[in-house]
Amino acid sequence: MPAAKPPSRKPVPKVETTDPGGPPPVEAGSGDATLVYDKNKARPRGVDSPRLVIIAGPRKGTEHPLTEPLTTIGRGSDNVLVIPDISVSRLHSRLEKQGERWIVLDQGSGNGTRVNGKSIERYPLQHGDEIEMGDTRVQFVEPGGVVVKGSKLQAKFSEEVTGNKTPPPAVSWKKRAPLYGAVVVALVILLAAGLIKKRRQDAADAEAAAQGAESREFAQKRFQEGVALLKQGKWVEARDKLKIAAELDGQDPEIARYLESAQSEAPRAQQLAQAKAALARRDYAGARAALAGVPEDSALAESAHEVSRQIKEAIDAAVRDAKARVESGDSSAAQDLLDPVLLAEPSRPDVTAVKDAIAAQKRPQAPVVERRRTPAPVAQPPSEMESVLEAYLAGDIGAAIGRARVSISPRAERMLQDLEIFDASYKDGLAKKQAGRTAEAVRALEQAAAADRAIGGGKDGRLGREVRKALSALHYQIGAAQTGGDDSLPQAAAHLRAAVQDDPSNDAAVAQLRQIADRCKEIYLRGYVAKDSDAEAARKAFKLVIETLPASDETAQKAKRWLDKLDGKVSKEE
């Protein structure tokens, strides 16, 4: 029996390697399925980027990832990292990625930038370095490495490419494996880039929302503090709190309304406090001048009326006491009581009567005759001119004019002219002051003061002091009335300085000058903040400070330096 032939084998058709078909399934081994993401491309930056951790300041406890190669930091809302801290400049500093390192650079800030306690202009950061900007301190934290095991992820993308969980085997898979691998990697990179972009946008939106909420929270705290101070009648302190609240949340209408009220009433509250202080030291003219700055529509009008009533009662009491002292023969004490009343109400009839009574008591006490009777072979009796000057310095203008008229000295005629000019100008100035014609009163009293200097020749007398006190009160009245607006501050400061020059004891004028100096510091700060974003507003602020303060003042000198920089007169790096 012949042996059976084995079944013939049909030739297996050759499969062209270019036939289309799905790739074969890839079985991942235990040690070959790990995919490491590139640090700068495929890895989510929010996790793997360096970050700034705020460890002190208004935003303490928050973190900010450094997802971009440039991050600006400052108080201005256009910065990447906004810090609502008045000690931080609008554009304070910036962080730049240079190669593999991060560099921090100061942006010409007002308070400077420090790293680990040392002032810097440019500094390469290391893990743990602390950056100080005003009252805020942040710490630089470096990223760590990230490793993603990718066997499941790779299989997922293979399914998306082929459309099958278990594609049929094909002879051409091995040759096409590099192509499919490249496609998978490209898809992974595209997906990772999309995820990174979305995560970055979500982080930026969350950061902006957090910063806005944080600013509004700070604004509400300052607002509540300001309202509490308003209820206590502390208008100046309330205004300062509300200013900060408005800067943090300029869209809140309630904050704006309260701030407007506080800004209107704060200067009036200061005027009222100055009036009370002037009344306490018996400066009735100064007290009334201060009250002139409180209008009838002010919330403090009722308090101003009460102080005005107290001034009238104090003047009436001073006149009664002065009259009683004259009747008891104590003309010196009566004169002390009457002097501040004469500055406030020089034309009042009972005041004039007491003044004449005091002058009548002083005339017989002139020591001229007594000195002439004293036999002294060496000492000479006072000359006629000395007698005239003696009466004038003692405050008796009538006696001085009378002696000058009967004198035969050639100098007596010139002195008589000065005495008559002084007498007429002084009376005219007081009358115009009483009538409310302030500018004319100042001119008349300045003419009287010039005559006083010509008569006294540098010697200080009672009449000269009275004229200077009256001038000081008028200058204070004019200056205090001009402190309401910023544009009138230079004129107000000039009058107040004249008031202090004429009468150094004018404490109300001294206090007003201090307040103007504080306001100039605020105006300077506004100019400093605006110098990078609104140069014209900064120029206006700096010019106002320079025109208001003396050239020797430190704030005026700083304003002058910044104005010169803005005008290009000096280098900005100086």
Side-chain angles (χ1 to χ4, degrees):
M1 181 175 179
K5 293 182 180 180
S8 61
R9 296 182 180 180
K10 295 182 179 180
V12 178
K14 186 177 180 180
V15 180
E16 297 294 333
T17 59
T18 57
D19 285 349
V26 178
E27 297 296 334
S30 60
D32 60 359
T34 299
L35 175 64
V36 180
Y37 279 65
D38 185 277
K39 288 186 177 182
N40 295 319
K41 295 181 180 179
R43 188 168 55 224
R45 291 190 179 182
V47 175
D48 195 32
S49 300
R51 64 188 186 277
L52 298 177
V53 180
I54 302 179
I55 59 178
R59 301 192 60 197
K60 179 181 179 181
T62 61
E63 295 186 8
H64 180 82
L66 300 175
T67 58
E68 298 293 339
L70 173 64
T71 297
T72 58
I73 306 174
R75 195 179 71 251
S77 59
D78 52 348
N79 287 285
V80 177
L81 176 55
V82 179
I83 300 178
D85 186 347
I86 192 64
S87 64
V88 175
S89 296
R90 180 175 293 277
L91 180 58
H92 199 106
S93 59
R94 72 178 190 270
L95 271 72
E96 293 182 1
K97 186 175 183 182
Q98 299 181 2
E100 295 299 320
R101 308 197 69 176
W102 282 86
I103 309 296
V104 60
L105 302 99
D106 185 70
Q107 294 291 89
S109 61
N111 290 326
T113 303
R114 298 175 297 281
V115 176
N116 300 329
K118 296 182 179 179
S119 296
I120 60 97
E121 296 293 332
R122 181 181 183 278
Y123 190 87
L125 293 172
Q126 297 181 358
H127 178 73
D129 283 345
E130 292 187 3
I131 308 168
E132 299 176 57
M133 294 163 285
D135 297 331
T136 294
R137 190 165 74 253
V138 301
Q139 190 175 72
F140 176 75
V141 179
E142 292 181 344
V146 175
V147 176
V148 179
K149 292 189 175 182
S151 59
K152 292 182 180 179
L153 185 62
Q154 191 175 25
K156 179 180 178 182
F157 284 114
S158 295
E159 292 172 8
E160 292 178 358
V161 170
T162 63
N164 298 308
K165 293 185 178 180
T166 55
V171 177
S172 61
W173 166 251
K174 292 184 179 180
K175 294 186 176 180
R176 295 191 178 187
L179 175 63
Y180 289 124
V183 172
V184 169
V185 172
L187 289 174
V188 169
I189 292 174
L190 288 174
L191 179 60
L195 291 173
I196 291 172
K197 184 177 180 180
K198 185 177 184 303
R199 186 172 298 179
R200 189 184 304 165
Q201 184 62 45
D202 291 344
D205 293 342
E207 179 74 12
Q211 289 180 2
E214 189 176 32
S215 294
R216 288 191 293 274
E217 181 182 357
F218 281 123
Q220 283 301 313
K221 288 181 180 179
R222 300 293 88 81
F223 173 66
Q224 296 299 332
E225 292 170 358
V227 171
L229 290 169
L230 286 178
K231 293 179 180 179
Q232 300 172 26
K234 298 179 179 179
W235 294 90
V236 177
E237 295 86 344
R239 178 195 62 190
D240 296 339
K241 294 288 185 182
L242 292 170
K243 277 185 178 179
I244 297 174
E247 183 177 342
L248 292 173
D249 188 2
Q251 304 301 318
D252 192 315
E254 190 174 15
I255 293 176
R257 181 167 58 85
Y258 272 86
L259 176 60
E260 183 180 3
S261 176
Q263 286 178 327
S264 299
E265 296 296 343
R268 298 164 184 173
Q270 293 173 333
Q271 295 288 99
L272 187 62
Q274 291 165 10
K276 292 178 179 179
L279 176 59
R281 61 177 182 272
R282 298 191 305 155
D283 181 7
Y284 310 125
R288 284 181 171 170
L291 286 182
V294 184
E296 288 297 325
D297 60 349
S298 170
L300 301 170
E302 185 176 349
S303 299
H305 292 159
E306 175 60 23
V307 176
S308 180
R309 184 188 62 79
Q310 295 173 3
I311 294 172
K312 184 179 183 305
E313 291 179 352
I315 290 175
D316 292 343
V319 174
R320 288 194 301 270
D321 291 346
K323 184 177 180 181
R325 295 294 178 91
V326 171
E327 292 173 351
S328 66
D330 190 355
S331 60
S332 177
Q335 186 71 59
D336 291 338
L337 289 168
L338 202 63
D339 280 344
V341 178
L342 285 168
L343 292 175
E345 298 185 6
S347 301
R348 182 168 158 169
D350 54 352
V351 174
T352 304
V354 175
K355 179 182 177 182
D356 293 341
I358 293 173
Q361 279 190 1
K362 288 183 175 181
R363 288 192 191 101
Q365 299 174 2
V368 176
V369 176
E370 193 67 30
R371 280 202 296 267
R372 286 181 178 177
R373 290 178 179 177
T374 302
V378 177
Q380 298 294 325
S383 66
E384 292 176 339
M385 295 302 298
E386 290 173 343
S387 177
V388 173
L389 181 60
E390 189 175 60
Y392 173 78
L393 294 177
D396 195 342
I397 186 66
I401 291 176
R403 294 176 187 179
R405 284 176 178 169
V406 300
S407 175
I408 60 174
S409 170
R411 292 178 54 199
E413 184 176 354
R414 292 194 299 271
M415 181 172 282
L416 176 61
Q417 291 177 355
D418 292 330
L419 288 168
E420 290 175 342
I421 290 173
F422 174 88
D423 189 42
S425 300
Y426 186 26
K427 290 178 180 178
D428 184 42
L430 293 180
K432 288 176 178 175
K433 178 177 179 290
Q434 183 66 20
R437 297 158 64 180
T438 307
E440 297 177 17
V442 169
R443 287 194 293 270
L445 290 175
E446 285 178 344
Q447 188 174 9
D452 171 74
R453 290 191 293 271
I455 296 167
K459 294 181 179 179
D460 189 24
R462 178 184 292 274
L463 292 172
R465 288 194 297 271
E466 289 179 1
V467 169
R468 290 191 294 274
K469 279 183 175 291
L471 265 176
S472 178
L474 285 172
H475 280 300
Y476 171 80
Q477 180 180 347
I478 297 171
Q482 294 178 326
T483 57
D486 288 347
D487 291 339
S488 60
L489 281 181
Q491 296 84 357
H495 280 288
L496 291 170
R497 282 194 289 270
V500 175
Q501 184 177 2
D502 288 331
D503 181 15
S505 66
N506 191 335
D507 295 336
V510 173
Q512 279 279 15
L513 284 173
R514 289 199 196 99
Q515 292 169 11
I516 286 178
D518 291 339
R519 285 178 62 181
C520 283
K521 290 179 181 178
E522 295 178 2
I523 295 170
Y524 167 79
L525 181 59
R526 291 205 303 266
Y528 178 82
V529 170
K531 64 181 174 61
D532 295 325
S533 58
D534 191 348
E536 192 57 37
R539 284 191 182 92
K540 182 178 179 181
F542 292 145
K543 286 179 181 178
L544 184 60
V545 171
I546 294 168
E547 292 170 0
T548 302
L549 296 176
S552 59
D553 187 273
E554 182 181 358
T555 304
Q557 292 174 355
K558 291 195 293 185
K560 179 68 166 58
R561 287 197 295 270
W562 276 114
L563 182 61
D564 288 344
K565 289 180 180 180
L566 290 174
D567 291 341
K569 295 180 181 179
V570 295
S571 171
K572 290 187 176 181
E573 285 73 27
E574 289 183 8

